[in-house]
Amino acid sequence: MRTTGDTRARIVTAATELFRRQGYAASGMKQIVAAADAPYGSAYHFFPGGKSQLGEEVIRTSGAAYLELIAGLFPLPVPQGADMATVTADAFTAAARTLRELDFTDPCPLATIALEVAGTHESLRLATAEVFASWTDGLAAFYRAGGIAEPAAHETASSVIALLEGAFMLGRAARSTDPVLAASRAAAAVVRAARSEAGAGDA
């Protein structure tokens, strides 16, 4: 038997998938509730603020899920003997594999939403900014634990995330994993440079 919680979760899941595949603006509430197999009125029962409120929920839910993924790919404490540049490159390789498996649709709805709403929906812009900041903080913690001090740890994390998000965009356009793999090498170089500077500073 379906519960109220199930209905809400199905709506969020359906919205997440539609935003990821076709974007925020192109996804209407009727399409979302149909994909969720939910009554139309239930969307406004759970999200009285309409699609904007639902969009914020998708952003925060997806952001939290990807933060867990970051924690898994960049574990704390840093495993003994782990090379941070190699760990970073391996994360990009995994991302390239995911992009291909999803037939070059965006693996995450956040970048799609961020590009659409940055200048038009302040609440959604703020939500995406908060999520990206949480990702940067999480990744920076890994680099700090590996010996890169602040502010370099945050700068490195921000650069790595920017490289990944940009590579996803280029990879989708080209229907190729080559941009992600190229970004992998660039990200590893950024990490090596930051670690080298940290080592020089310790000397």
Side-chain angles (χ1 to χ4, degrees):
M1 181 177 178
R2 290 178 174 175
T3 66
T4 297
D6 290 337
T7 301
R8 188 182 191 281
R10 290 201 316 277
I11 291 171
V12 173
T13 299
T16 300
E17 180 64 15
L18 287 169
F19 292 167
R20 182 181 67 80
R21 285 194 289 108
Q22 63 188 36
Y24 176 82
S27 303
M29 290 295 272
K30 287 185 178 180
Q31 184 184 19
I32 291 168
V33 295
D37 191 22
Y40 182 70
S42 63
Y44 291 95
H45 169 73
F46 294 115
F47 304 100
K51 193 169 77 167
S52 179
Q53 184 181 356
L54 176 57
E56 288 186 47
E57 180 69 13
V58 167
I59 289 166
R60 298 186 194 284
T61 301
S62 299
Y66 275 82
L67 185 58
E68 289 184 9
L69 179 60
I70 289 171
L73 292 171
F74 300 90
L76 290 173
V78 177
Q80 186 174 5
D83 176 71
M84 290 187 296
T86 300
V87 172
T88 301
D90 288 346
F92 276 69
T93 300
R97 186 164 53 248
T98 298
L99 186 63
R100 182 177 293 280
E101 289 171 353
L102 292 174
D103 195 29
F104 300 99
T105 58
D106 200 329
C108 175
L110 265 71
T112 303
I113 295 175
L115 287 171
E116 286 189 70
V117 306
T120 56
H121 291 75
E122 182 66 5
S123 63
L124 297 183
R125 184 196 68 78
L126 289 172
T128 55
E130 289 171 9
V131 167
F132 283 132
S134 73
W135 293 358
T136 303
D137 289 345
L139 190 51
F142 172 79
Y143 292 134
R144 273 198 312 274
I148 301 175
E150 293 293 358
H154 260 82
E155 291 171 355
T156 301
S158 182
S159 297
V160 168
I161 290 171
L163 280 165
L164 182 59
E165 291 295 338
F168 275 146
M169 188 183 305
L170 293 175
R172 290 177 65 197
R175 292 188 62 80
S176 170
T177 58
D178 288 349
V180 183
L181 298 177
S184 169
R185 295 186 288 273
V190 167
V191 174
R192 288 192 189 97
R195 187 66 188 92
S196 178
E197 290 178 9
D202 293 339

